[in-house]
Amino acid sequence: MRLNTGGTALQKARNGQRSRQLYSAALIAAAAFLLSGCGTNETSREIDRANNAANPAGLPPGRQGLSRVVATSSFAAATADESRAAEIGRDILANGGNATDAAVAMYFALAVTLPSAASLGASGACIVHDDKSKQAESFVFAPIAAPGPIKGASFSVPNGVRAVTLMHVRHGSSRWEAVVAPAERLARFGVPVSRALSRDLQAGAGMLGDNEAQRILGNAREGSNLIQTELAGTLGAIRQRGGAEFFQGQLARTISEQISQAGGSMPVDVLRSAVPQASAPMSESHYRRRVYVSPAPMAGASALAGWKGSAPGGAVPVDSNGFAGLAAADGQGGAAACALSMGQLFGARVMVPNTGILLGAPTANAAAVSPLIIANPSNGEFTFAGAGGGAATAAQALGWVARGAIEDDRPLGTVLSQTRGQGGFVNAIACPSGLRANGSTCRAAADPAGAGLAAIAQ
């Protein structure tokens, strides 16, 4: 697996200037094709869609990964609450990206494949364990209510793109374009509606009173090809002009204007001032390791309660309830995990016209999320990374699963089979002996009660 072990972002930019110039020429040509839609016939479009379905991350021949979950001595894995997003994370890892690259790619992919729980309007929190610095960093994008409702519904200021942009700048190794492009392709050429999204649509499609949301999502059925042209345009702008475009560029102005025209209120200054919190995570000691969770106002305390032995309550979810999680680990011992929240199923149930962005809702449970990572700050080894979805109690369920897999030393799959979604779906990666020390002990798993996927990069 190729990993970029260069120095600062500036040094990487200088060292890669010539290759990027060559790459940019190809990228401009590809963008012209993707964004024009001219000069292609229906047969060409069908070929593109088939190729996209078989190779969502656009890897070169011979580099496409496998979907099966296995254990290997050289280990890298991705897991998420929706299967195609997990496959994209896996493919990013297989193409030399690190855990942060995979997590960011899955964040954007989930906005396409599971917008009911993880659109670009979602709130949430991410934690990165950096194997080089041996430190962990938290990125919190808490729900912030917009100044005025839209179509009678309160909504949250979208600040997740800004958070993952910062996360990628500090910890990513792949080019920004490479981690956004797979999601853009899914939105532009279409992706089969997964079981995860289908369950959400069955539970909540009738809640989508907004005409724009109904037009795009109302008739989607499991297995049908879901094309989101407006969202593809939004992702294309983010890919081409960077994440800052979302909160201070032309795209930010477009989002603000479209919300205003729909009767809501979110001036560009409000979007610009919604700054994510980047800081050290909340943590506590576990022998030589640290258990990292999200700081307030997110639900890190609930995750720690589960870790300390407080079993999660509540029924097994039947859909996402507007919550989703993802995690990734790379072969060098880096790990990243994110927990996302729309506040409720389909969030505010309103889509910003001409952008494809489903807005989140600032409900009482909107901040009830936290990923969890366990790592040794002395040697940089990580032993657990995960995040939960499906319920506002998923953070506690995550801590409970981490305790079973690490503290009680039980196989991850066994722990998940026994809890089977109690309190929320948990997607996790566990390396009880440390990835670099003994990668053969590593396992990745998606909750059997959910509709997600764990995938190994080979």
Side-chain angles (χ1 to χ4, degrees):
M1 181 179 296
R2 302 192 315 273
L3 288 173
N4 188 334
T5 57
T8 65
L10 180 59
Q11 289 170 330
K12 293 176 189 175
R14 288 171 174 167
N15 293 338
Q17 185 174 10
R18 174 169 291 183
S19 62
R20 282 181 181 150
Q21 288 172 343
L22 296 174
Y23 176 81
S24 296
L27 185 61
I28 291 170
F33 168 75
L34 287 174
L35 299 175
S36 67
C38 299
T40 59
N41 56 34
E42 188 58 34
T43 300
S44 297
R45 294 190 184 97
E46 289 299 325
I47 292 173
D48 287 332
R49 290 168 185 160
N51 290 339
N52 178 61
N55 181 16
L59 299 183
R63 295 303 305 274
Q64 293 91 335
L66 302 174
S67 293
R68 48 197 183 114
V69 176
V70 296
T72 64
S73 56
S74 177
F75 185 89
T79 182
D81 270 310
E82 195 280 328
S83 56
R84 185 52 61 92
E87 289 178 332
I88 282 177
R90 170 208 63 194
D91 290 350
I92 292 292
L93 292 167
N95 204 33
N98 66 17
T100 297
D101 297 324
V104 173
M106 287 191 285
Y107 164 83
F108 285 114
L110 282 171
V112 180
T113 62
L114 196 63
S116 49
S119 84
L120 296 184
S123 305
C126 299
I127 296 175
V128 173
H129 163 64
D130 191 313
D131 61 284
K132 299 178 183 65
S133 68
K134 304 176 184 178
Q135 301 297 311
E137 188 170 20
S138 170
F139 298 86
V140 169
F141 39 111
I144 301 170
I150 182 170
K151 300 184 178 180
S154 297
F155 67 97
S156 299
V157 178
N159 55 356
V161 172
R162 189 170 190 171
V164 300
T165 300
L166 178 61
M167 187 169 89
H168 185 264
V169 167
R170 292 190 178 179
H171 302 285
S173 65
S174 298
R175 291 190 304 271
W176 174 253
E177 298 92 331
V179 300
V180 182
E184 182 189 354
R185 279 194 293 271
L186 293 183
R188 190 172 302 283
F189 296 118
V191 58
V193 173
S194 65
R195 184 161 61 97
L197 180 55
S198 175
R199 297 202 308 188
D200 283 1
L201 288 167
Q202 290 173 21
M207 303 173 184
L208 297 173
D210 175 59
N211 291 337
E212 188 78 356
Q214 275 286 354
R215 177 179 67 83
I216 294 173
L217 299 172
N219 295 320
R221 299 292 182 270
E222 185 170 358
S224 65
N225 194 48
L226 177 61
I227 296 176
Q228 301 174 74
T229 305
E230 293 87 352
L231 181 57
T234 296
L235 291 168
I238 294 170
R239 170 181 58 81
Q240 290 178 307
R241 297 191 285 275
E245 176 69 12
F246 193 87
F247 59 89
Q248 64 182 19
Q250 179 56 48
L251 178 58
R253 292 188 287 274
T254 298
I255 294 170
S256 176
E257 291 167 1
Q258 290 295 323
I259 288 176
S260 179
Q261 291 175 19
S265 175
M266 193 186 70
V268 173
D269 286 347
V270 171
L271 193 57
R272 188 180 296 121
S273 64
V275 180
Q277 173 188 342
S279 65
M282 184 191 307
S283 68
E284 68 171 43
S285 297
H286 176 249
Y287 302 107
R288 295 182 180 178
R289 303 164 180 163
R290 302 291 300 180
V291 181
Y292 299 110
V293 296
S294 298
M298 313 311 281
S302 295
L304 286 179
W307 166 254
K308 293 174 182 178
S310 179
V316 176
V318 296
D319 54 67
S320 77
N321 283 300
F323 299 92
L326 61 92
D330 59 51
Q332 300 302 308
C338 299
L340 307 170
S341 165
M342 291 291 283
Q344 60 187 7
L345 190 60
F346 290 101
R349 286 123 192 204
V350 175
M351 186 171 285
V352 181
N354 301 311
T355 68
I357 301 170
L358 196 64
L359 293 168
T363 64
N365 290 326
V369 296
S370 175
L372 185 151
I373 289 180
I374 303 175
N376 186 336
S378 297
N379 60 16
E381 279 277 33
F382 100 96
T383 52
F384 185 93
T393 53
Q396 186 172 347
L398 170 65
W400 177 260
V401 169
R403 177 184 178 86
I406 303 302
E407 174 67 13
D408 300 339
D409 198 24
R410 291 187 288 150
L412 177 60
T414 300
V415 177
L416 287 171
S417 295
Q418 290 174 349
T419 57
R420 198 161 183 85
Q422 186 73 36
F425 308 136
V426 173
N427 306 290
I429 302 166
C431 295
S433 300
L435 187 150
R436 289 176 295 188
N438 189 359
S440 64
T441 68
C442 295
R443 299 291 186 274
D447 201 307
L453 176 72
I456 305 298
Q458 293 188 347

